[in-house]
Amino acid sequence: MTADAPAQRPLYALLLRLAAAATLSLMLALVKLASESGLALPEILFWRQLPTIPMILLLFWATGRLGSLRSSRMGQHGMRAILGLIGMMLNFGAVTLLPLAEATSFNFTSAIWAVILSALILHEKVGIWRWSAVALGFTGVLVIAQPGDGHIPLLGAAVALSAAFMIALISIYIRDLTKTEDSLTIVFYFSLFTVPLLAMTLPFTWEAKSAEQWFYLVALGISGLIGQYLLTSALRYGSVASVIVMDYSALIWATLLGWSLFDRLPTATTWLGAPLIVGAGLLIAWREHRLSRPTRNLTPEA
């Protein structure tokens, strides 16, 4: 089954990504609450994914869109699911190891990793502007992490940076899938492929749950589904380079949620380092926007 690529709607894509940033920030706060209540990470992942399957099936059945689940790209869906599961494990793991604001700040390096991936894998020419942004962003990482002083656990920083790398890789992959697949179809197969894998871990992690723990699991499952749909839809209507700018609003939500739920505000080093990472991402987005504009005198320097 093939379909025409969806029409680009840049402003709509930005709004979708902005809503996704807020929703996924709430989901990560719920993940941290669930982890601190004693739930194991594999089980949190399982309950994050499970509600997606019946909810999307019910929605498609109610709207007469079950045919949207037909796909000729099952191999690509499977690969996206594997990458997505690894990325989600790293992302959730970073939240359990770090304060929300710091984990979110490291997450912003996904734009920096995207530049490196484009150079190493896609063999795209990357010039002084974007390499300077990469250097600026990793300077921000060093300012926040302060290696050697114990302020930020190095394991947590490494996990968060690895999660950001996976986000960059997955975003490119989803962007390709949205050329032929419905956004909810992509989200559905992500859950369909990963739930059986996560279910195999339940015998080793299952335990009786309190009402509070069930609330966390249900809430993060619903918010995760909504956030994933918004995230995927944004990539359907806008390019990675353009919509990723909205991700930086997550730092505001992470700061507010960290303060209100965990009584934890970002440290001085985070306030100094995060703007460097955000600035690097904005510089990359600006440069990619310039390079995407058709001009008569555009040079190959990037």
Side-chain angles (χ1 to χ4, degrees), residues 22 26 81 84 89 122 181 211 213:
L26 175 60
M89 290 177 65
L122 303 178
E181 310 292 278
Q213 289 175 321

Side-chain angles (χ1 to χ4, degrees), residues 80-208:
R80 181 266 183 273
I82 293 172
L83 295 175
L85 181 58
I86 295 171
M88 192 165 60
M89 290 177 65
L90 291 168
N91 200 25
F92 284 17
V95 169
T96 65
L97 294 169
L98 298 171
L100 280 177
E102 281 74 7
T104 300
S105 297
F106 286 134
N107 195 271
F108 292 155
T109 60
S110 57
I112 300 168
W113 289 117
V115 171
I116 296 174
L117 283 173
S118 67
L120 297 180
I121 298 179
L122 303 178
H123 304 292
E124 179 182 334
K125 181 176 176 59
V126 177
I128 189 64
W129 281 101
R130 284 185 286 176
W131 282 129
S132 297
V134 169
L136 179 65
F138 282 122
T139 298
V141 169
L142 292 174
V143 170
I144 295 174
Q146 294 286 303
D149 79 344
H151 163 61
I152 294 292
L154 291 184
L155 175 61
V159 170
L161 290 173
S162 299
F165 172 84
M166 292 304 300
I167 289 172
L169 186 60
I170 294 164
S171 292
I172 295 171
Y173 213 86
I174 291 176
R175 177 66 175 167
D176 178 65
L177 273 173
T178 56
K179 293 177 181 177
T180 60
E181 310 292 278
D182 184 276
S183 298
L184 279 176
T185 301
I186 297 172
V187 175
F188 175 80
Y189 283 115
F190 176 35
S191 292
L192 188 67
F193 281 115
T194 56
V195 163
L197 297 175
L198 292 167
M200 290 189 291
T201 69
L202 293 182
F204 307 100
T205 60
W206 183 267
E207 60 180 24

